[in-house]
């Protein structure tokens, strides 16, 4: 772990020799990079731009959290607004949606970097991401974007532990991926439905649940939470039902396998 920390710091020192950009969601991965990269940029006398994508497929709360964390690190925070659904290919949630989205988002970020004389663009992929179906990683590689956490060999658990050690405010924050992951591939993306799903997940987190996903399969809403939270779900059954009913589908289920990242990818070859 100490070797990984030193490797990460060395990478970030190198990447901030000149101006640099970081794709910054406000999640734990990019927040760890931001803290260490900002310290490196300050030492090098260069500028680090923390750039957040304000997109139609991500919860609005993400932007507010990103702004707060950027302020905590005294970082330059910029926001790029993007409507992914302007790409007709993305509208029906294809299996390569993440690849198409990353291509679009990082094309905009690379344009921003060029306009601000930033030679390096970074993002927060880690080693565990390589074990899952993440076609967006290929897009990032093709575009020459750096992934320092992956390069230094950090797993998600190690990132969380290091972030807690450094006192990063979002060290315990659950991941918050694109809302399109709540729908099966090949399903037309309904923004009104995604808005209700996002609001439902936020309401469930306000009940004290951490990892929460509401996956909608036609007329069925499948609730994923950590299995340790099952007793809390049953204790607050009426509140949970009230929240789930607002999603607007008739059949409401609790997934007995519990929360698992990428559960919509089980049929992807």
């Amino acid at each position: 772990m100490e070797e990984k920390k030193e490797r990460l710091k060395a990478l970030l020192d190198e990447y901030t020799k000149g101006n640099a950009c970081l794709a910054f969601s406000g999640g734990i991965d990019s927040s760890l990079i931001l803290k260490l990269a900002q310290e490196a940029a300050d030492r090098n006398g260069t500028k680090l731009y923390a750039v957040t994508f304000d997109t139609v497929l991500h919860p609005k709360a993400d932007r507010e959290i990103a702004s707060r964390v950027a302020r905590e690190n005294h970082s330059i925070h910029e926001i790029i607004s993007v409507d992914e659904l302007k790409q007709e290919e993305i509208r029906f949630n294809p299996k390569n949606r993440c690849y198409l989205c990353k291509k679009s988002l990082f094309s905009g970020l690379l344009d921003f970097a060029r306009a601000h004389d930033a030679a390096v663009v970074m993002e927060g992929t880690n080693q565990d991401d390589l074990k899952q179906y993440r076609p967006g990683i290929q897009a990032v590689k093709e575009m020459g974007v750096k992934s320092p956490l992956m390069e230094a060999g950090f797993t998600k658990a190690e990132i969380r532990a290091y972030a807690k050690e450094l006192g990063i405010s979002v060290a315990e924050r659950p991941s918050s991926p694109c809302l399109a992951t709540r729908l099966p591939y090949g399903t037309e993306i309904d923004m009104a439905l995604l808005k209700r799903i996002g609001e439902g997940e936020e309401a469930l987190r306000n009940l004290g649940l951490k990892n929460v996903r509401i996956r909608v399969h036609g007329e069925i809403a499948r609730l994923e939470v950590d299995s340790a939270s099952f007793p809390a779900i049953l204790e607050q059954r009426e509140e949970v039902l009230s929240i789930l009913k607002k999603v607007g589908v008739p059949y409401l289920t609790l997934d007995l396998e519990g929360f698992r990242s990428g559960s919509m990818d089980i049929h992807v070859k």
Side-chain angles (χ1 to χ4, degrees), residues 161-200:
Y162 195 14
K164 288 176 70 174
E165 178 187 320
L166 295 175
I168 294 173
S169 64
V170 291
E172 298 289 349
R173 184 188 176 203
S175 60
S176 179
C178 165
L179 286 170
T181 62
R182 312 314 196 263
L183 303 177
Y185 292 119
T187 302
E188 183 172 7
I189 294 174
D190 179 339
M191 287 309 303
L193 173 59
L194 289 190
K195 183 174 184 293
R196 296 194 299 273
I197 289 172
E199 290 171 348

Side-chain angles (χ1 to χ4, degrees), residues 31 34-36 38 42 68-75:
S31 293
L34 181 65
K35 180 174 180 59
L36 297 174
Q38 186 62 64
D42 290 344
R68 173 173 59 78
V69 176
R71 287 195 301 271
E72 290 169 359
N73 288 280
H74 310 290
S75 299

